[in-house]
Amino acid sequence: MLRRTRTAKVYTEPATDDESDDMTGQQKGDSEELEEWLPNSNEGKTKVRAKPRGTDETGEKKKVTKRVAKPKEPKPKAERKPRAPRVPKVKKGKTNTKPQTEDAVLPKPELQQHVAVKEERLSINLSSNNAGEMPEECPSSSQHFPKVKKEEPNDSFTFDEPAQKKQKTTNSAQGRPIKLKSGNPCVEDLQMNWDPIQVLAEKSGVEQWVCANIVQLFQEENTIPFMVRYRKELINHMDADAVRDVQLTLEELRSVAKKSRSVSQTLKKEGVLTSELEMALKNCTTADEIDHVYAPYKKGSKLSKARRAKELGLEPVALALLQEPQKLDLQSSIQPDTKGLSTLDEVATGVQEILADMIAKDKETLTYVQSLCDRSSVTIHSSVSKTALKEQQPQQGNQKSKPKDIAKFSLYTDFTCDVQRIQHHQTLAINRGENLKILTVKVNIPDRVKNDFCRWCINVRWRPQGFARPELMAILKNSVEESFKRFIVPFLSRGYRTKLTVSAEKESIAMFVRNLRQRLLMCPVRGRVIMGVDPGFHHGCKIAILSPTSQILHTDVAYLHGPAKHKEAEKLRHLMFKHSCQTIVIGNGKACRETEAFFTDLIKQHFFKPIDVSYCITDEAGASIYSVSPEAVKEMPDMDPNLRSAVSIGRRVQDPLAELIKIDPKHIGIGTYQHDVSQSLLRAALDGVVQECVSFVGVDINICSETLMRHIAGLNAGRARSIMEWKEKNGPFLNREQLKLVKGLGPKSFQQCAGFIRINPETVRSVCSGVNEELPLKQTAEKKKVKGSGSTSNQFNPLDQTCIHPESYSIALRFLSQIGGSLDQIGSAALRQSIESSVKSRGLDVLAKSLDTTPETLQLTVDGLTQPPGFDIRQDFEQADFKREIVSMNDLHDGMVVTGRVTNTALFGAFVDIGVGRSGLIPKRFITPDKLPVDQRQRSLALGPGERVEVRVINVDLQRNRITLDLIRVLR
């Protein structure tokens, strides 16, 4: 019942102060960015999960519903609030078993019969109150929900939203649903009272038939790249990020089911598990809901005040205060010789503790207080911690690190923001400051919430069922206030902080994923001899000259910033003449600026004439880590680690994907807060993106490295090793069918990887030159007998160069036959013209029907037949910028229009390299939809690494070495 803001987040590295420019703009006029947030999704989801699923349990469920329906009659109305954001199709029949869960969440199972009477009385009071007696104390406000529903974005425009979040595919072409098998492990393993597909559709925002297809495909061990490319009709054209979101949601549901069974077993061992309690646990769809159900029965690490009072026998007294207050006599409970019962005040205190505990663990009470918070302005406040202040004051002269640390969080030393409007980067910045013990964070609940809550508890939910004397009402009032202060406020604070953190972490990971994808898919620079330079001062600049195929031609160390720099320049010119090198790639590490100036001066003097030399700056993040990694040692065993860094820097421009996959994505230098988010989620997301990029680009199986090969969909380290061993023994692969002969590569693995593997005849001929070609044929024949895989041809198949999957080869051949084409025409202009004419005249759907296939499969076939040999999807992406001159920050002035390239995107803006040695920041408020191409308006920040942009200089701060930019347009 809380709501979250899907906006940007803070970068608390040295650039934290840049956010001060963003905050006012980000916190104003963002109402369209608000999205409904259900932190305690118990209420809305209880209705779904309570729906009976098995026919054998129908009788029992109906019996339970009937037993508690009367005392809970008003509650469906009170609980209607969470239903507002739901999809209309799942509202029907949700409230049938709602009272089961609430009855099962009573404070103690042995007290259910007593509290049932109390709840019946409460339901009567609620009815009368709703009639107009005390409307402000109704358990919840129905007037509030239409407003929440209006705020939920229903259109397709999701600017400032995570990529493909809550994927809506209603308007997409309908695929054919797969009916789940009766023995589907996904359903049987859950063993819950709700339909996994229905709940999965609710949580992910994807249609049920699409969810059913995705679950079935995952059960059949299909990979995400395979599903996205070759099963489009089944997943309704969802992209990889959307499918991955569904997969993560499915894993969450499985973990919820596992936790539910674990809690049930624990309660069963303790002898407190009832049928109602078991049903309530099976109705839960989130871990928070399970915690709510389990809370009254959970044993604390130490004896609480309420449990001590119960052990003294005061629990019946507390119940009597609610059930029969007119007969209650506290004097009769006094025992002078017993600590805790010796005086009337001690007895009253014990009763008060028991009641406070019961109130804090009652689900309806928690639901109501959350509804009050949802209608109020709950804020989060951060300030400097006492620990940081104490460490700063006595050592101002000696220890400078602490003041600097506090300075990094200067924006948050006295920061207050509504929890509905706080941005993701602000949440992560506050969390980091708190973890470093620099900040103290507090969630502020308005006093109005406390007043309304106490009045509702005393007059409605926990109202005594008879006349209560003033002293007893004082105990009840103190219990409510004590419960709110000691239990409910911390509970609400934890809920807010958890939900804010989870939301911020997801957005941070999504930003990291988008940045990594664009970095990996940067267009390679082919056909050039490249000099990679790892700059340095005292230890010199490491030089590596690489051939167009990334082979190492020469390595050296040049001292370009010493007294002998002229002599070193002559040596470089000799090397560049010798290897016909005209492209220099400089790493952006220490001494980068000085090294860039050195080469710029030489270029201006025409020092390398007649060679036309240009250079570019590339990000060297992770190069040093890679240079000492086992993979680098294996690849370049006899080379100095410093020279390996230069090789890596050069190869990052020649083929970014092939080089960057060797480095842990966390070290590539993209995204923000990667060390503050869940490492398991981050690792899984990044691995998925790497696999997706490698697979969609495709690899030439005969020349790619083992490291690259293991990231292909369907392969892993072991299968990649087996393929390399097969090549060493039998020579290059002649066609895709020969992959079936590799040990450990079964039919499923072949199905997943075959479409992403290319067989280039030219590569095979170059590999086989000078090698006996009879050996591969002989070994193939022997393998064929052992494996019994049927007929395996030793001939080239032109379709093996395309993205067409082997399972669609027959469709491609029939299609070519229809249009009068042939395999040797693949990629030619004549075949492309013939295909376009056929598709235009007959239509894709008609052609697909005539070939007994789907339009999606036929479209992929058309793409494969019309794309030229060696087609690379990265050719449409941006390439590194090469230049011949240098400018500095002193050359910039306000209002100046320049072009640059995005180097990184954070949750509060995009960093752009405009060639002055320091990246400028485009604050998020300047990245608006009207400045973006139409196809980029659906992404969260809509900019990513590698994109060329035209920007206007807003401010140049030479003292702090910062540049603020305004986005004009994205260059295409």
Side-chain angles (χ1 to χ4, degrees):
M1 293 199 298
L2 311 171
R3 306 210 311 271
R4 73 180 165 196
T5 307
R6 283 197 180 276
T7 49
K9 311 167 194 172
V10 175
Y11 183 43
T12 57
E13 313 286 353
T16 306
D17 288 344
D18 285 339
E19 303 155 22
S20 59
D21 296 330
D22 306 340
M23 286 173 52
T24 55
Q26 290 166 340
Q27 293 177 3
K28 290 190 296 185
D30 288 338
S31 60
E32 70 277 3
E33 294 178 333
L34 293 178
E35 177 178 337
E36 186 151 29
W37 188 29
L38 303 173
N40 184 13
S41 45
N42 309 345
E43 313 92 75
K45 292 168 188 171
T46 301
K47 300 173 186 177
V48 178
R49 63 175 184 259
K51 183 176 180 180
R53 198 163 61 91
T55 55
D56 54 334
E57 299 178 6
T58 305
E60 179 184 352
K61 292 179 183 178
K62 287 184 177 179
K63 182 178 179 181
V64 176
T65 304
K66 185 176 180 181
R67 182 176 69 82
V68 295
K70 281 188 176 181
K72 295 287 185 177
E73 192 143 2
K75 288 190 178 179
K77 185 172 182 179
E79 295 293 321
R80 196 174 302 161
K81 180 171 184 176
R83 215 187 304 178
R86 296 294 183 193
V87 183
K89 62 183 179 182
V90 298
K91 285 185 178 181
K92 185 176 180 180
K94 282 184 179 180
T95 58
N96 292 347
T97 56
K98 169 72 175 163
Q100 300 170 2
T101 304
E102 299 185 20
D103 180 69
V105 189
L106 293 176
K108 277 288 182 179
E110 62 268 25
L111 309 180
Q112 288 176 359
Q113 56 182 354
H114 299 286
V115 183
V117 179
K118 183 190 89 169
E119 289 176 344
E120 183 174 359
R121 171 66 175 272
L122 290 176
S123 66
I124 297 173
N125 290 335
L126 288 172
S127 301
S128 62
N129 291 337
N130 292 338
E133 199 171 305
M134 195 171 57
E136 71 278 8
E137 293 172 350
C138 179
S140 64
S141 174
S142 60
Q143 301 96 312
H144 181 61
F145 302 110
K147 181 180 178 182
V148 175
K149 189 172 183 178
K150 288 178 183 178
E151 290 181 356
E152 184 179 11
N154 293 322
D155 55 352
S156 61
F157 183 73
T158 56
F159 186 72
D160 285 339
E161 292 291 325
Q164 301 299 329
K165 187 66 177 175
K166 292 199 172 182
Q167 175 84 2
K168 296 183 182 300
T169 57
T170 306
N171 297 328
S172 302
Q174 294 294 306
R176 49 187 176 89
I178 298 176
K179 187 176 180 180
L180 289 174
K181 300 177 182 178
S182 58
N184 194 323
C186 171
V187 178
E188 292 179 356
D189 288 346
L190 297 189
Q191 297 175 354
M192 302 294 282
N193 287 347
W194 33 264
D195 181 7
I197 302 301
Q198 182 180 356
V199 177
L200 181 62
E202 286 182 47
K203 287 178 174 287
S204 61
V206 178
E207 287 85 349
Q208 288 194 35
W209 70 266
V210 180
C211 289
N213 289 352
I214 292 175
V215 171
Q216 181 68 46
L217 289 168
F218 279 130
Q219 288 297 315
E220 295 172 356
E221 299 180 350
N222 291 286
T223 61
I224 291 179
F226 177 82
M227 294 160 59
V228 171
R229 174 169 285 184
Y230 298 111
R231 296 294 184 265
K232 291 181 179 180
E233 68 277 8
L234 301 183
I235 62 173
N236 217 5
H237 300 265
M238 291 170 63
D239 66 7
D241 287 336
V243 177
R244 196 174 295 112
D245 284 342
V246 175
Q247 183 186 32
L248 291 175
T249 305
L250 180 61
E251 292 300 324
E252 289 177 4
L253 292 179
R254 288 173 175 164
S255 65
V256 168
K258 183 178 180 181
K259 183 173 183 178
S260 175
R261 291 193 294 271
S262 175
V263 171
S264 296
Q265 291 295 327
T266 301
L267 295 176
K268 188 175 181 180
K269 291 180 181 177
E270 295 175 357
V272 295
L273 183 65
T274 63
S275 59
E276 293 84 359
L277 183 56
E278 185 177 12
M279 182 171 295
L281 289 171
K282 287 188 176 183
N283 286 338
C284 296
T285 57
T286 67
D288 286 341
E289 293 176 12
I290 293 178
D291 291 337
H292 282 311
V293 176
Y294 184 39
Y297 312 93
K298 193 173 183 179
K299 292 183 177 179
S301 56
K302 62 180 182 179
L303 207 60
S304 65
K305 295 180 179 179
R307 289 181 62 189
R308 285 199 296 267
K310 289 178 182 179
E311 290 183 355
L312 292 174
L314 292 178
E315 188 171 14
V317 179
L319 286 175
L321 190 150
L322 298 174
Q323 304 295 333
E324 298 176 322
Q326 66 276 10
K327 298 180 181 179
L328 180 60
D329 182 13
L330 295 180
Q331 296 286 347
S332 61
S333 300
I334 297 177
Q335 299 178 14
D337 299 332
T338 305
K339 185 179 179 181
L341 299 175
S342 57
T343 64
L344 183 62
D345 289 342
E346 290 184 352
V347 172
T349 301
V351 173
Q352 180 177 309
E353 294 294 342
I354 295 175
L355 290 175
D357 186 67
M358 291 172 62
I359 294 170
K361 292 181 177 179
D362 178 58
K363 187 186 175 194
E364 183 178 344
T365 302
L366 297 177
T367 299
Y368 179 70
V369 73
Q370 286 182 336
S371 71
L372 290 176
C373 291
D374 188 45
R375 288 172 283 166
S376 304
S377 178
V378 179
T379 60
I380 186 170
H381 177 76
S382 64
S383 58
V384 181
S385 66
K386 295 180 179 179
T387 303
L389 291 175
K390 287 181 181 179
E391 292 177 351
Q392 182 187 27
Q393 291 173 355
Q395 303 165 348
Q396 290 180 350
N398 300 331
Q399 198 175 34
K400 298 182 180 180
S401 59
K402 292 299 177 183
K404 286 184 180 179
D405 286 342
I406 294 178
K408 284 185 179 182
F409 296 92
S410 59
L411 293 177
Y412 304 100
T413 54
D414 187 15
F415 173 81
T416 302
C417 184
D418 194 303
V419 294
Q420 296 177 356
R421 305 187 61 83
I422 188 170
Q423 303 183 35
H424 297 306
H425 68 278
Q426 294 170 337
T427 298
L428 293 176
I430 288 172
N431 290 350
R432 178 182 288 184
E434 187 179 34
N435 292 334
L436 295 174
K437 301 188 184 307
I438 295 175
L439 299 178
T440 298
V441 185
K442 181 182 179 182
V443 176
N444 296 319
I445 309 293
D447 291 338
R448 186 177 70 85
V449 172
K450 177 182 178 181
N451 297 335
D452 292 350
F453 171 77
C454 293
R455 184 167 60 252
W456 177 81
C457 285
I458 295 172
N459 296 321
V460 183
R461 176 62 176 165
W462 300 94
R463 181 177 180 178
Q465 298 181 16
F467 174 76
R469 298 184 301 277
E471 62 270 18
L472 297 182
M473 290 302 296
I475 293 176
L476 178 60
K477 181 181 178 181
N478 292 337
S479 300
V480 173
E481 293 179 350
E482 185 77 6
S483 179
F484 184 83
K485 178 181 177 181
R486 287 180 46 210
F487 302 119
I488 294 179
V489 169
F491 166 78
L492 293 173
S493 299
R494 289 193 301 269
Y496 277 112
R497 296 293 305 279
T498 299
K499 297 303 178 181
L500 288 173
T501 300
V502 169
S503 175
E505 285 186 353
K506 286 184 178 179
E507 179 63 7
S508 180
I509 292 174
M511 179 70 71
F512 203 112
V513 163
R514 290 191 293 273
N515 289 349
L516 176 61
R517 181 184 290 112
Q518 290 199 247
R519 180 65 63 83
L520 293 177
L521 293 179
M522 284 193 68
C523 184
V525 177
R526 303 189 185 279
R528 296 196 193 187
V529 177
I530 283 182
M531 174 186 288
V533 181
D534 184 5
F537 285 119
H538 302 296
H539 300 287
C541 296
K542 278 64 69 177
I543 307 293
I545 298 181
L546 308 174
S547 72
T549 58
S550 297
Q551 300 298 314
I552 302 174
L553 302 178
H554 181 81
T555 58
D556 204 345
V557 178
Y559 296 88
L560 307 181
H561 309 298
K565 61 181 180 180
H566 297 292
K567 182 179 179 181
E568 297 293 337
E570 290 290 344
K571 182 172 68 173
L572 291 178
R573 179 166 62 176
H574 171 72
L575 288 174
M576 298 184 75
F577 283 163
K578 178 181 178 180
H579 299 288
S580 301
C581 175
Q582 55 183 350
T583 304
I584 302 172
V585 178
I586 305 172
N588 65 345
K590 187 177 181 181
C592 167
R593 192 68 174 162
E594 291 75 12
T595 305
E596 181 185 13
F598 174 83
F599 281 106
T600 301
D601 290 341
L602 296 180
I603 293 173
K604 285 182 178 179
Q605 299 169 15
H606 305 287
F607 184 77
F608 300 107
K609 196 174 182 180
I611 299 178
D612 184 17
V613 176
S614 61
Y615 71 92
C616 73
I617 308 295
T618 192
D619 191 349
E620 67 173 34
S624 299
I625 296 175
Y626 164 72
S627 66
V628 294
S629 67
E631 290 185 2
V633 173
K634 182 179 179 181
E635 186 179 1
M636 298 171 276
D638 301 324
M639 187 177 294
D640 183 86
N642 295 316
L643 296 175
R644 292 178 191 149
S645 297
V647 174
S648 178
I649 290 172
R651 286 176 174 173
R652 289 182 184 204
V653 173
Q654 284 186 319
D655 193 345
L657 178 61
E659 189 63 24
L660 291 176
I661 56 115
K662 303 174 184 177
I663 303 168
D664 189 332
K666 290 189 297 184
H667 299 144
I668 295 180
I670 55 177
T672 55
Y673 295 100
Q674 57 263 36
H675 301 294
D676 298 324
V677 301
S678 169
Q679 296 303 300
S680 58
L681 291 178
L682 180 62
R683 179 78 259 176
L686 297 183
D687 287 346
V689 171
V690 172
Q691 184 188 66
E692 169 197 335
C693 293
V694 173
S695 299
F696 288 166
V697 170
V699 298
D700 189 333
I701 193 69
N702 289 314
I703 61 173
C704 76
S705 65
E706 182 180 338
T707 304
L708 185 65
M709 195 185 305
R710 70 179 59 157
H711 291 290
I712 301 173
L715 300 184
N716 53 29
R719 292 171 189 147
R721 181 67 243 162
S722 298
I723 291 174
M724 297 299 291
E725 292 174 351
W726 194 94
K727 286 199 301 181
E728 293 172 1
K729 185 176 181 181
N730 301 280
F733 288 91
L734 305 180
N735 52 56
R736 286 171 172 170
E737 286 295 316
Q738 288 185 331
L739 288 168
K740 297 179 179 179
L741 306 178
V742 177
K743 182 180 179 181
L745 199 68
K748 195 61 181 182
S749 298
F750 174 80
Q751 180 197 42
Q752 299 300 304
C753 73
F756 307 116
I757 287 176
R758 308 283 187 269
I759 307 293
N760 190 333
E762 295 182 2
T763 304
V764 175
R765 281 192 286 271
S766 64
V767 172
C768 289
S769 59
V771 179
N772 183 8
E773 298 187 8
E774 295 298 324
L775 178 60
L777 305 183
K778 179 180 177 182
Q779 293 292 342
T780 300
E782 293 176 359
K783 284 279 182 180
K784 182 169 57 180
K785 292 180 181 179
V786 174
K787 206 161 185 177
S789 58
S791 59
T792 303
S793 171
N794 298 317
Q795 303 298 322
F796 291 116
N797 187 338
L799 293 174
D800 289 342
Q801 306 175 64
T802 69
C803 61
I804 302 173
H805 197 278
E807 66 185 12
S808 301
Y809 280 1
S810 61
I811 297 172
L813 293 174
R814 280 184 283 143
F815 179 63
L816 285 173
S817 177
Q818 277 190 8
I819 64 174
S822 60
L823 291 177
D824 57 2
Q825 292 181 300
I826 290 178
S828 66
L831 182 62
R832 185 183 303 109
Q833 184 177 2
S834 177
I835 290 176
E836 289 176 355
S837 174
S838 178
V839 172
K840 185 176 181 180
S841 61
R842 300 184 59 186
L844 194 67
D845 292 343
V846 175
L847 285 173
K849 190 173 182 180
S850 67
L851 295 170
D852 193 23
T853 186
T854 63
E856 292 81 5
T857 302
L858 181 57
Q859 181 62 58
L860 193 62
T861 302
V862 168
D863 293 341
L865 294 175
T866 55
Q867 290 167 353
F871 174 79
D872 193 334
I873 65 171
R874 294 174 292 175
Q875 69 187 27
D876 296 329
F877 289 78
E878 298 294 342
Q879 196 178 60
D881 282 327
F882 293 94
K883 50 188 179 179
R884 294 176 175 82
E885 60 182 1
I886 187 173
V887 293
S888 66
M889 288 183 64
N890 295 324
D891 300 324
L892 299 177
H893 58 81
D894 294 355
M896 184 177 182
V897 176
V898 295
T899 61
R901 188 175 297 280
V902 178
T903 59
N904 192 13
T905 54
L907 299 166
F908 51 84
F911 291 96
V912 180
D913 179 9
I914 56 176
V916 297
R918 177 72 177 180
S919 293
L921 174 67
I922 306 178
K924 184 173 177 289
R925 66 178 181 272
F926 293 140
I927 307 174
T928 54
D930 58 293
K931 300 177 182 178
L932 301 168
V934 176
D935 60 335
Q936 289 185 237
R937 297 180 183 179
Q938 299 292 324
R939 299 190 315 208
S940 176
L941 195 57
L943 288 177
E947 294 192 270
R948 296 185 66 244
V949 292
E950 186 177 35
V951 295
R952 179 182 291 105
V953 178
I954 299 297
N955 180 51
V956 180
D957 188 341
L958 296 175
Q959 183 176 0
R960 295 196 300 170
N961 203 25
R962 292 179 178 176
I963 308 167
T964 304
L965 305 172
D966 180 16
L967 176 65
I968 298 177
R969 63 191 175 104
V970 178
L971 301 176
R972 291 291 180 88

